[in-house]
Amino acid sequence: VLIPRPSTEGLIELALDFLRSGRDEVREIDTEIVGVAKKYSAVQDVSTIVDIGTGCGCIAITLKLERPDLNVIATDSSVSALEVAKENARGLCADIDSRVGDGLEPVLDVAEPFIIVSNPPYIPVPVAGSHESSLRYEPREALYAGFDGKDIINGILRDAKKHTCCRGIVLECRKDQC
């Protein structure tokens, strides 16, 4: 799983603000990193938050602790990452639903209004030998997403717009990707 960074706090704050205001927003949350909130329809009736690519679960857990009135579903393609997230949730007494799978596949059955919150992989695939030393201990599949870094983001956005219960999305990306 990824090591949480300061931008994660900014993403969580943006998600909480988005749930209150329902307004579209692009907010700088770290150097050259932004959080993007995009509404598809009214968010006042949202009863669920879906954290796609939860990793260690820090986003899902924090949102559940901040908004205990909402259901929180944490998804990840990695069974091992979901085990870490479940252990962390138990340790913090956060009741989250965890589901394994890629993108929106694990929540296709969700029939109540929800928003997506995600810190997806968004770093462009590096040129050989240019791997940043600060990222060498992180799983590559949690970092890199194609030539321009938008492969995963584009998939989430496309699928979110198709899901009839998705009211909006809050995600982290590079400033030049939004």
Side-chain angles (χ1 to χ4, degrees):
V1 297
L2 290 175
I3 299 165
R5 293 178 167 71
S7 58
T8 305
E9 291 179 37
L11 182 67
I12 291 167
E13 289 171 3
L14 178 59
L16 293 169
D17 291 346
F18 181 65
L19 285 165
R20 283 189 288 274
S21 73
R23 288 193 312 254
D24 291 352
E25 183 178 352
V26 176
R27 180 184 297 176
E28 190 162 347
I29 56 177
D30 204 348
T31 306
E32 297 300 313
I33 304 297
V34 295
V36 178
K38 177 70 177 157
K39 176 178 71 169
Y40 299 140
S41 61
V43 300
Q44 290 82 1
D45 65 343
V46 165
S47 61
T48 300
I49 298 170
V50 175
D51 175 15
I52 295 178
T54 198
C56 68
C58 67
I59 293 171
I61 293 165
T62 303
L63 289 170
K64 181 61 179 180
L65 295 174
E66 290 290 326
R67 290 294 307 265
D69 58 311
L70 299 177
N71 300 318
V72 176
I73 301 171
T75 75
D76 206 291
S77 60
S78 167
V79 173
S80 298
L82 275 178
E83 287 303 317
V84 170
K86 286 192 267 189
E87 184 177 327
N88 289 337
R90 276 190 301 272
L92 293 167
C93 300
D95 184 22
I96 62 171
D97 178 4
S98 60
R99 301 180 185 190
V100 69
D102 288 323
L104 268 72
E105 182 271 325
V107 295
L108 291 177
D109 65 335
V110 173
E112 65 263 3
F114 68 89
I115 66 163
I116 293 168
V117 179
S118 184
N119 177 6
Y122 60 81
I123 299 173
V125 173
V127 176
S130 68
H131 192 72
E132 291 184 44
S133 63
S134 64
L135 303 176
R136 70 177 166 253
Y137 300 110
E138 313 257 10
R140 292 183 61 80
E141 63 274 8
L143 297 170
Y144 301 107
F147 178 74
D148 62 0
K150 293 171 64 174
D151 288 2
I152 306 298
I153 291 169
N154 289 339
I156 292 171
L157 291 172
R158 180 191 61 243
D159 294 345
K161 289 177 186 175
K162 291 179 186 176
H163 198 299
T164 58
C165 293
C166 184
R167 300 295 191 252
I169 187 164
V170 180
L171 60 84
E172 180 178 324
C173 63
R174 292 176 356 159
K175 190 180 278 188
D176 64 347
Q177 294 172 321
C178 63

